[in-house]
Amino acid sequence: MADQLDIEAEVRALFEAKLREFAAFCRQEWQMGEKERAEMGLDWSEEYTAGYNAGITDGVDGALDHWLRDELDW
C-alpha cells in the first residue's frame, strides 16, 4: 500500500524542517557585524570577525546535523 499514511515519517520531516528554520534564524541573528562589535565594545579585526561568523554558520549547521544523525539516528 504505497498510499498508506506514515505519520512518523511526516512528523520527523516536519520536526527537521522546523529545526532547520530555527538554525537559519540563529545563523542570521548571531552574526557579528561592525555595529554589534561597537555596541559590545569589541575590538576585533575584520579577519577575526569573519572567522567568528564562519564558525557560527558552520557550527550551527554542523551541530544540528550531528544531533540529527548521531543522537537521533536519523
Side-chain angles (χ1 to χ4, degrees), residues 4 9 12 14 16 23 25 28 34 38 43 45 47 50 57 66:
Q4 192 172 18
R12 183 181 290 192
L14 177 61
E16 183 175 347
F25 168 81
Q28 180 179 346
E34 187 174 327
D43 188 25
S45 69
E47 294 82 15
T57 299
H66 170 78

Side-chain angles (χ1 to χ4, degrees), residues 16-70:
E16 183 175 347
K18 292 301 177 183
L19 284 173
R20 294 202 181 278
E21 283 180 29
F22 180 67
F25 168 81
C26 292
R27 285 191 314 270
Q28 180 179 346
E29 293 299 312
W30 294 350
Q31 293 294 299
M32 188 69 67
E34 187 174 327
K35 177 183 172 193
E36 291 81 14
R37 287 193 328 257
E39 288 174 352
M40 296 176 77
L42 301 173
D43 188 25
W44 293 356
S45 69
E46 289 296 320
E47 294 82 15
Y48 186 91
T49 303
Y52 170 88
N53 288 336
I56 290 294
T57 299
D58 296 342
V60 168
D61 287 338
L64 178 56
D65 289 340
H66 170 78
W67 187 69
L68 290 172
R69 183 186 64 241
D70 295 341

